[in-house]
Amino acid sequence: MSSTVGLFFWGFLLVYGVLMVALSPRAVTLGGFFNGEDNQGRSAAPWLLTSSIFISWIFAKSVTNAANLGASYGLIGGLAYAMYWLSIPLTGFVIYRLRRRYAATGLVSFLSSHYGRGAALAFSAAILIRLFNEVWSNTAVVGGYYGDAGSLEFIGAALLFTAVTLAYSLRGGLRSSILTDAAQAAIFIVALIWVLGLVLPQHSPSELASTSHWALNAGVDLLLVAGLQAFSYGFHDPVLTDRGFISEEKTMRRSFVIAGVLGFFAILAFSLIGVHAQLTGLAASDNVPAALAKTMGIGALMVMTVVMVSAAGSTLDSTFSSLAKLAGRELPKLAGRDLGQKAIGVGMAVMVVFALLGNLPMIAGTDILKATTISGTMVIGLAPVFILHGLTTPTRMGFHLSFWTGLGLGVALTLGWIPQSWAIGDGKYALLLGTNLYGLGLCVLGYLIPGWFNTHQRGAA
């Protein structure tokens, strides 16, 4: 990258940061910092909530993974990754039910009330792991547009991006995140249309479809994995679930449905960039969009950089606001304390800590797809807890059998302890598919059996 072009790219990152800070209000009330309310105490407008849910889940790592999978498996790869976005409407419907029927005000407090403090703490730990992963997996994608993994340019860009995002997140918490999300969504959509306009006219629909083969070892196994994980994936992401409790129930449900459908098609569309890369014979890599853009000239690389920075920024600021809420409000309440206005200061301090520690895996170098597939397996035990709640008597044992079974299987899969006999098919994701299918069945049984037993005992008494 020439010095002139390099200055332009670095200048864009700085201008982006200044623009986001300018758009971000200073939230000094608890309602503004933690619930996204305006200065008059009003909830975020429906269109703001919808755009925030949409762009917050269009992670930089997600659009990169979608393109990588499109390059590897064709349209099936993109469809497989887009399946995760169907968990947004499902999560919205479940939260709607929990709010209407059980007066839930948040998932952590809901678990504490129905399954005990231990369940709430275990769930909070899973959330912290998720949020930690969101930091490095998104900053790493941005760094990839400024240099090779591990290079000074790569690390410097990732850290600068983290710093500018942290700066405006500290100003306004969730209110800043929601308002800047609207601008980031607009930037993302315009840039995505521009990028697709560069590559799609080069291929006919039949040519694009020819890259897919409906076989387990050709990406269908990952499609099925995503379908299974969609039942639980949304519940362990406070970036999504925090937005389920800040507006009227029906407004929230409608926003979740619209954002999920839009996200599904946006991810599927972006995977076509990977399909184009496959058709043109581009060498496989862990960042297909960046590699492709570099072959198409500086203009394409700049537009792709804009796409990734806007996508990563919307997720990272939401990650920081969710960390602040968990540390400043929800965990203290589990301990029986209300920090009052001090909660904002605690939340800001935790933002800074995670901004520093959360980038360590990025510096060390880690596969960003693992942040989705492995964590998705670890939380399959959340599906029965939230979806089946009320079907039988809620029990603490039921929660822990379901939750820890899923977590244990995820860890065992990571360490290579799952027997090969669990594999379904012979594709790359055969063992992942088997673990999720059989594991989800075990989690459902683990959740239901103690409840049924408890109900039977009460009936006999």
Side-chain angles (χ1 to χ4, degrees), residues 377-419:
T377 301
M378 289 180 177
V379 297
I380 55 175
L382 294 177
V385 173
F386 293 114
I387 296 176
L388 302 182
H389 181 81
L391 186 62
T392 186
T393 304
T395 64
R396 297 186 180 192
M397 181 177 290
F399 170 88
H400 288 290
L401 283 177
S402 182
F403 178 83
W404 293 107
T405 295
L407 185 65
L409 288 171
V411 171
L413 184 65
T414 304
L415 298 176
W417 293 351
I418 301 295

Side-chain angles (χ1 to χ4, degrees), residues 317-353:
D317 62 36
S318 297
T319 297
F320 287 144
S321 65
S322 292
L323 281 166
K325 184 177 182 180
L326 182 64
R329 301 197 81 178
E330 294 182 330
L331 289 179
K333 285 183 178 179
L334 282 180
R337 298 183 60 193
D338 187 343
L339 300 181
Q341 199 69 20
K342 292 181 180 178
I344 294 178
V346 172
M348 293 171 69
V350 172
M351 285 184 185
V352 174
V353 170

